[in-house]
Each structure stands twice: as structure tokens, then as C-alpha cells.
Amino acid sequence: MKAPTSATRKLIAAAGLIAAAVLGGFAWQGWRNDDPGEGFASGNGRLEATEIDIATKFAGRVDDILVGEGDFVTAGQVLARMQVETLQAQYDEAVAGEHEARQATAAAQAQIAQRRSDVAAQQAVVVQRRAELEAARQRLSRSQTLAREGAASRQELDDDRAGARSAEAALAAARAQVVALEAAVTAAEAQRVGTEARVAAVQASVARIRADIADGVLRAPRDGRVQIRVAQPGEVLAAGGRVLNVIDLADVYMTFFLPSELAGRIAIGADVRIVLDAAPGLPIPAKVSFVASAAQFTPKTVETASERQKLMFRIKAQIAPELLREHLEQVKTGLPGVAWIRLDPRTAWPAALSTPLAP
């Protein structure tokens, strides 16, 4: 008898594996339709994950998209770029305006220093005019004495009196000039305040435009996988226009529904086993992370025993992020399956729901 060839042996082995898988699938299908016990409940659902829309902050044209659908991305990775030539021109203009405002501030400061110098010089003139007035008054006093004694002429007395009055007028004019120069200092200081405010305003514009330019580079906010590429390079998007849709593979869960009499017995953190239709022999461990506080289906005003069964509560079973990170390549959202929940923590899991992945 001729020995089977290597190809024949491979075909036989493959047929055996297929038969075993089919039998295993039938066995699981038969088991899943049976109630594993009083301490368990189940609900149908699909794997879901947190979705993040990568969108542009401002209206503009898409310059480049660096990732494709299905690509894994890490937090901070550059995913796409928007055209920012217009923003760059605005930034250059704002920077030039900042330099101009700073020059105006420096000029205002120099003007203040000059005006203060003028005030100091004029105050010295006031001191000089005060001394001249004092000398003129002394001469007038002496002339009056001499005139009463007949030692001075009337003309000399009139001249000294006129000199004293002229000195008083000069002192008053010098004092008025000091006030005018001090007002000029105040005006220069106000001008400096205005230029400093202009500098602050332009600096704010520079910072805003710089932030807009930075926002033109679209980065991944967290690790995940690109699910949908919404836009293409060259497209013009409105503000908030979507470019990519990314799913967070560290936040995967299944949502299912249970009737009120079962939902009332479920605690946050209760153990769950998720069994996917695509992998019936590999239960995935999870924890209850959410139980709805209100029923999803509202019954009629008069509730019968059967109508109370319509009170369905939404349950969310969260898969541990550390477990997901170990199997990122295998994580697929949208897969249907069944979530089995253990109502009594003292009850052991059946063998079919025991998993080596369990913590």
C-alpha cells in the first residue's frame, strides 16, 4: 500500500482542524443557549470603543494626511497638516507690529526723559528769577530810604520800582513754564502707557496666531487606531471639519441590556465574561463600569408582571486597558457577542467561561 504524501497529510490535518472547529462551534452554540445557573445573566451586544474626531480648529485647506485607515497611532503623533500660509503672513505682520510698538514705547520713554530734563532746567530758572526779584526788592528798599533823605533822585526810585516789578513778572513766567513742562511730562507718560498697551495687544495677537499655526498640525490626543479617513489632501474644510476618526483601543467595552430584576442585583465592578461570535472559545474578562439609573423602555401607566419585563437597563462592561494593550493587533470593534455577568461573586465561573486571560 502506498504511503500518503506530504500534501495528503496536510489536507487530512486541515480537514481535522476544520471538523474540530465546527464541532466546537456547535458545542458552544448549544451551551450558550443554556442557562449556566442561577447566579448568571447574559445580554447581547457589540464591542465598542471611544471614538475621537480629529478635526481642524479653523477653516482652511488640508495640506497633507500622514496616516491611513487601520494605522496605529500614538499620543502626540502628527496625523495631518493644514495649509497655514495666510496665518504665517499674519504672524509676520503681527511680529513687525510688535517691533514698531516697542520702538514707539522707547521713543515715548525718551520723550519723558527730555521733558523731565526741561522741567529741571526751568526750575533752575525759577530759582534764578526768585534771586533776581529779591535783589530788585532790596534795591527798591534802599532807593526809597535814600529818596526820603534826599540822597537819591526820583528817577532812580522809579527805575528801581520798575526793576522790582519786572523781576516779579519774570518769576511768574518761569513758574508758569514749569507747570507747562510738567504737563508735557504727564502727556508723555500717558503716551508711553498707550504704547505699552499697544505692545501688549500685539503680543497677544502674535501668541494667538502662533497658537493657530500650531493648531494647523493635527496630532493624536491618545494612542489608538485610525478608523475612518474623512477628508483628503487639497479639500477645503470649514472650522471644525473632520479629517480623521480615531478609536481609543485602550477604552473598549460592550453595552448590553438586562431586565430590572437582574439589573438591580448588579454592582459596579462585577465580573463579566465577553464571548464574541468570532472567537467562541476565548471568553474575555471584563468589569461592570456603568449601570443606567433609568430604564431604557418605559412601560404603560398600569404595569402587569409581563410589562415589568420591558424595563430594560443599559449595562456597560469595560475590558481592562492593560489587557487591551497586550492584544492591540487583535482588537476589533463592532464584533457581536454575548456578555455573561456573574450576579453572585461567590459562584464559580463555569468551565466554558473560564479564561487564562482573567486577572
Side-chain angles (χ1 to χ4, degrees):
M1 184 175 180
K2 188 177 180 181
T5 63
S6 175
T8 304
R9 287 195 297 269
K10 290 181 179 179
L11 288 174
I12 294 172
L17 290 175
I18 292 173
V22 171
L23 290 174
F26 279 120
W28 163 252
Q29 189 67 29
W31 180 87
R32 68 182 290 186
N33 292 330
D34 296 333
D35 190 347
E38 184 68 24
F40 298 90
S42 66
N44 298 318
R46 292 179 180 271
L47 280 186
E48 303 176 56
T50 298
E51 296 186 9
I52 307 167
D53 286 332
I54 307 300
T56 175
K57 180 180 177 181
F58 49 85
R61 189 183 302 275
V62 180
D63 186 40
D64 194 13
I65 300 177
L66 307 179
V67 293
E69 294 179 353
D71 289 350
F72 286 90
V73 297
T74 57
Q77 178 181 341
V78 177
L79 306 181
R81 291 188 175 91
M82 303 294 294
Q83 290 185 3
V84 294
E85 285 80 0
T86 302
L87 288 174
Q88 187 62 51
Q90 294 176 1
Y91 176 79
D92 295 339
E93 180 182 3
V95 170
E98 180 182 0
H99 292 325
E100 181 182 0
R102 289 185 180 276
Q103 291 295 329
T105 301
Q109 188 63 43
Q111 189 73 10
I112 291 173
Q114 180 180 352
R115 293 290 180 262
R116 286 176 176 171
S117 176
D118 292 342
V119 169
Q122 190 61 33
Q123 287 174 340
V125 172
V126 169
V127 173
Q128 179 182 356
R129 295 293 181 264
R130 187 182 295 115
E132 291 174 353
L133 175 60
E134 184 66 23
R137 286 175 175 174
Q138 290 178 357
R139 283 196 299 271
L140 176 60
S141 178
R142 287 194 296 270
S143 296
Q144 288 175 341
T145 301
L146 292 174
R148 283 195 298 270
E149 295 175 353
S153 66
R154 184 73 180 179
Q155 184 63 43
E156 291 177 344
L157 179 60
D158 292 340
D159 291 341
D160 290 340
R161 185 177 288 113
R165 291 175 179 173
S166 176
E168 289 177 355
L171 177 59
R175 286 174 173 172
Q177 189 65 23
V178 169
V179 173
L181 292 175
E182 287 177 344
V185 170
T186 302
E189 289 177 343
Q191 183 179 2
R192 183 195 61 184
V193 171
T195 57
E196 289 175 347
R198 172 63 180 165
V199 169
V202 175
Q203 285 178 335
S205 297
V206 169
R208 175 183 57 79
I209 298 172
R210 186 188 296 118
D212 287 342
I213 292 175
D215 286 333
V217 179
L218 307 183
R219 301 178 183 272
R222 62 184 74 177
D223 297 346
R225 185 173 61 210
V226 178
Q227 180 169 290
I228 303 174
R229 182 164 164 169
V230 182
Q232 298 297 330
E235 290 187 26
V236 177
L237 303 179
R242 293 197 308 161
V243 180
L244 298 165
N245 178 268
V246 176
I247 57 174
D248 183 2
L249 296 180
D251 186 13
V252 179
Y253 54 90
M254 177 177 282
T255 299
F256 57 99
F257 296 86
L258 290 178
S260 57
E261 66 272 11
L262 295 179
R265 299 170 57 186
I266 296 174
I268 299 296
D271 286 333
V272 179
R273 294 292 184 267
I274 296 175
V275 181
L276 300 176
D277 293 352
L282 186 62
I284 303 171
K287 297 281 188 182
V288 173
S289 61
F290 171 81
V291 177
S293 58
Q296 301 298 310
F297 307 107
T298 304
K300 300 175 183 177
T301 304
V302 178
E303 298 177 0
T304 63
S306 61
E307 287 174 336
R308 284 198 295 271
Q309 297 297 324
K310 299 177 183 178
L311 280 170
M312 303 296 288
F313 287 78
R314 185 164 62 95
I315 314 295
K316 184 175 177 182
Q318 189 88 26
I319 302 175
E322 55 271 15
L323 179 60
L324 292 167
R325 293 190 187 99
E326 295 176 3
H327 306 277
L328 284 179
E329 296 290 342
Q330 288 77 35
V331 177
K332 301 291 188 298
T333 57
L335 296 178
V338 178
W340 288 93
I341 184 168
R342 185 169 62 179
L343 302 175
D344 187 355
R346 296 171 297 181
T347 304
W349 284 103
L353 291 177
S354 297
T355 169
L357 299 177

